[in-house]
Each structure stands twice: as C-alpha cells, then as structure tokens.
Amino acid sequence: MKIARMNITFRHYPFHYFLDSMESLGIKHIELWAGEPHLYVYRNGFETIRNINKEIKARNMKIVCYTPEQCVYPYNIASSDPHWRRVSIDYFTENIYAALALDTNMMLITSGIGDFSVRQEESWNYASDSIFQLSKVAEKEGVTLALEPLTRFESNLVIDTPGLKKMIKEIQSSSLKGMIDTVAMQLAGETPDNYFSILSELSHFHLIDGDGQSDAHLALDDGVLNWKEYLTSLQNHQYEGVCTLEIMGSNYYQNPQDAIMKSLKKIKELGILSSGYGGTLYE
C-alpha cells in the first residue's frame, strides 16, 4: 500500500509549489487534480501538460491517478439536456487523453447528478450511457476508470455499494472499476468490507476524515471517522493500491503542507505501512 498526496489541497498555490512541498516531504506519488489554476484541458492544455510532465520527471515522481474536476465545473454526464451531456462526455474523453499524456493509466470519474425534475431512473440511464461511452474509449486506450461513489449531498445516483455494483454490472467493461471515498462510504453507513464483498478489484482509495454529517473532507483526526479501522481493513484484504489524502476545505488551503504533514504523521504512527506490505509509504 502506498500513500499519495493530491494537489487540490494546494489549489490556491502555483502547481510547482505543490511539487516542491511534496519533494521536501520525500513524496513520490501524487494524484493529479485537473482543475484551475493547475490544469484545465481547455486552457493551454498541451503546454500545461508538457510543463507538468517536465516538472514531475525532474523530481522523479509519478502520477498514480488523474482526477479531472467534475463537481464544480459545468459538466454533468447525467444531465437530461442532450447537448450538455454530449459536451460533458467530450470533456471527460479529452481528459482520458490528458491522463495518457501524463503517463498515467487511471482516471477518476463519478456518475454525475440527475436532474430533480425527472425520474431518478431516467437520470440513471443517462449516466449509464455516458459511462458506457467513456469506458469504450478507456478500453481502447488501456485506461482504468475508477468510479467513485459521491455523497448524498453531491449526487442522487451512485452514492453507495449497491449503486456502484449496479453501474459496473450494467456497463460490463474491463476498464470500469470501483473505488472508495471514506467520507461517502461512512455517510452511506458502509465500511471497506462492503466494497470488498462486491468488487473483484478495488482500484483506488481516498483516505480522509469527516464530521459524520456532511461531505467535509478533513485531515486525519480532525473528524470522527474510524479511518484507522479502514486502513486495517485494507491491510486485511491485502489491498496493494494507493491511498490518496484528499484533504479539502478553507481551513487547509492557507497552509496545506501542515495538514498533510500532520496526516502523514498519524498514518506513520500506525506502523502498518512497511516494505513488507505492498511497498513503502513513499516509494
């Protein structure tokens, strides 16, 4: 198991500041949030990707997952508006190619959110069709689409393991795999065991604390989630993938490195991440 950091916590700093911070901590794995001001595929995309590649390789780092912004920007693959849905599919398709250009073979996606003016089943079908189209591109390009359940505050579609299982079964694509976000998981009343019971493979893991009531993504021990038990469960299930610290919120944006350092310290104190278990903490 490896721990990765995400540049979304550094969204109010230049991207090179994030990389410098990770380098100072000895971090080699990052999850790249593709959002302004760091990277947006429709604004100087080629040049930005080229510069990011150069900076990452110079530091001997690796992008383990590529996560295009999909909760703030006006893209929604479950929209009942066919033009908006088509534009959204095109946006994610463009990001699949951006992921490849950044030498990573995993991209995070969500189900979007259904319009409240239509039946939930109708919105589900829109999301399913969109994900199916994206999965065909991903299959062709050898990219894994990590489908992340959102919280009930963010979506009315894939928000728990039954929804995740249903979507994966409908799509029937080798490129589409499930992942965990600990906040969404806890709000759905679930644990990692629920995910391992329905998935043949867990593709990715977002490790954060939460307040147990909202979609807040907190630094470890700033909330009430049993994140230590979650990591123990991953260990028991021999998970060998990556856990990303997806820390967000105004309390962290001014001093993001401090939040990450404190969370890393909490993980190290557990003593479960060692070279004998799927690699080291950083490498």
Side-chain angles (χ1 to χ4, degrees), residues 192-212:
D193 289 344
N194 296 105
Y195 281 78
F196 283 108
S197 70
I198 68 158
L199 297 175
S200 59
E201 177 186 351
L202 182 68
S203 64
H204 196 47
F205 191 92
H206 277 174
L207 175 65
I208 48 272
D209 209 335
D211 59 18

Side-chain angles (χ1 to χ4, degrees), residues 30 68 72 74 76 82 84 86 89 161 169 174 183 200 210 213 279:
I30 64 173
V72 176
N76 183 10
W84 187 10
R86 180 69 258 169
I89 294 171
T161 52
K169 185 176 181 180
S174 59
V183 171
S200 59
Q213 299 178 350

Side-chain angles (χ1 to χ4, degrees), residues 215-232:
D215 60 355
H217 282 45
L218 307 178
L220 301 183
D221 276 354
D222 280 358
V224 299
L225 271 58
N226 295 319
W227 63 269
K228 296 178 183 177
E229 293 183 12
Y230 301 159
L231 286 181
T232 299

Side-chain angles (χ1 to χ4, degrees), residues 2-3 30 41 54 78 83 103 115 117 167 189 194 196 204 208 231 250 268 272-273:
K2 299 176 179 67
I3 302 295
I30 64 173
V41 290
K54 181 179 179 180
H83 178 262
D103 294 326
D115 297 350
S117 62
M167 186 62 77
N194 296 105
F196 283 108
H204 196 47
I208 48 272
L231 286 181
S250 57
K268 290 179 182 179
I272 67 171
L273 298 173

Side-chain angles (χ1 to χ4, degrees), residues 6 8-9 148 181 206-208 217 244-248:
M6 196 175 189
I8 196 168
T9 321
E148 178 188 53
D181 178 285
H206 277 174
L207 175 65
I208 48 272
H217 282 45
T244 295
L245 291 170
E246 191 193 22
I247 302 169
M248 296 186 287

Side-chain angles (χ1 to χ4, degrees), residues 32-35 40-42 49 66-79 83-101 106-113 126-127 129-139 141 143-148 150 176:
L32 181 61
W33 166 69
Y40 177 53
V41 290
Y42 294 140
I49 288 172
Y66 176 87
T67 302
E69 176 57 54
Q70 49 204 287
C71 294
V72 176
Y73 294 171
Y75 298 107
N76 183 10
I77 61 173
S79 172
H83 178 262
W84 187 10
R85 198 164 61 249
R86 180 69 258 169
V87 168
S88 300
I89 294 171
D90 290 344
Y91 166 75
F92 285 103
T93 300
E94 190 71 23
N95 275 289
I96 289 176
Y97 294 121
L100 289 168
M106 182 181 295
M107 187 179 93
L108 185 151
I109 63 169
T110 63
S111 62
I113 182 171
Y126 292 143
D129 178 67
S130 298
I131 293 174
F132 176 80
Q133 293 184 53
L134 292 171
S135 72
K136 290 305 175 184
V137 178
E139 284 179 18
E141 301 298 337
V143 172
T144 294
L145 298 178
L147 179 58
E148 178 188 53
L150 294 172
L176 186 66

